[in-house]
Amino acid sequence: MGTAAGFLWEFVKSPTTTAAVGPSSRALAEQMVAPIPHRGDPVVVELGPGTGAFTEVIQRRLGGRGHHLALELNSRWAAQLGERFPGVESVCANARELPALLRERELRADVVVSGLPWVAHAPVDGVPLIRLVADSLAPGGAFTQFAYTWTRWAPPARRQLADLRAEFEETVISRTVWRNLPPAVVYLARRPRRS
């Protein structure tokens, strides 16, 4: 099954855990990975990499540097990602396990790139996922999350934006990435408040 067809099939099977109906475009991927530094050995975490549209661009940007940890809930996709990208540590795990997984590896993230659906960001026991991400980042760290333009005004999107502004010193929303289907925007949050 091709990447697009496979993605659509996973979305039909589980629309609440698969964020998109198809793979993201290269234009959106470039926006999502923009905070990854061009030098040094950054720790990059990818939440919900799916079939690897962002993974490929992250790997190219890192060029063998740093550490790339990918957390994917779909076990088949997690296994395929590890096979396709040997430089990626692909783990079948829930995004909420991020703090524990980083502690086990004695790492702190410099950049977290998220392709997760809005439902994944809902608070569990009163703790929003954004707080767990912010607590996992280095002091100057950055977090990116994409959203389709037509979902930006939905209550979960507004709640996530409020969480981003509460947890980070700076939150900006990109211009619309028209070369993505459907068109999308990227939320970029920098400098977690509690690092």
Side-chain angles (χ1 to χ4, degrees):
M1 192 179 299
T3 302
F7 216 111
L8 181 59
W9 173 245
E10 293 296 333
F11 179 81
V12 169
K13 283 191 340 188
S14 185
T16 59
T17 58
T18 304
V21 296
S24 298
S25 70
R26 177 70 57 128
L28 180 59
E30 293 291 347
Q31 288 266 350
M32 289 288 288
V33 307
I36 297 173
H38 290 282
R39 294 185 181 90
D41 291 309
V43 175
V44 179
V45 174
E46 193 176 2
L47 304 177
T51 58
F54 300 155
T55 310
E56 182 176 354
V57 180
I58 292 169
Q59 281 292 285
R60 192 173 68 246
R61 182 81 170 244
L62 289 174
R65 300 175 297 124
H67 190 104
H68 183 176
L69 175 65
L71 279 60
E72 173 56 55
L73 200 53
N74 182 309
S75 59
R76 191 163 52 90
W77 281 351
Q80 289 173 351
L81 201 71
E83 291 168 10
R84 186 173 164 209
F85 301 102
V88 177
E89 183 183 1
S90 181
V91 178
C92 183
N94 186 298
R96 291 188 166 273
E97 296 174 59
L98 175 61
L101 291 168
L102 287 173
R103 268 194 308 275
E104 286 171 12
R105 290 155 179 78
E106 299 181 353
L107 295 173
R108 201 153 166 130
D110 295 298
V111 179
V112 176
V113 174
S114 172
L116 295 175
W118 293 123
V119 70
H121 291 276
V124 173
D125 296 328
V127 179
L129 178 60
I130 296 298
R131 183 171 304 152
L132 298 177
V133 169
D135 289 348
S136 299
L137 282 164
F143 171 71
T144 59
Q145 168 75 50
F146 82 92
Y148 297 127
T149 52
W150 50 270
T151 66
R152 285 182 56 202
W153 315 115
R158 291 198 312 266
R159 182 179 59 239
Q160 187 189 31
L161 181 58
D163 289 344
L164 286 168
R165 289 179 171 155
E167 298 295 333
F168 291 87
E169 291 180 11
E170 174 190 23
T171 300
V172 294
I173 303 170
S174 75
R175 291 184 174 156
T176 300
V177 180
W178 293 106
R179 292 185 301 151
N180 193 73
L181 190 63
V185 294
V186 174
Y187 293 80
L188 168 59
R190 296 181 195 270
R191 298 183 306 280
R193 293 185 189 276
R194 288 188 295 227
S195 284

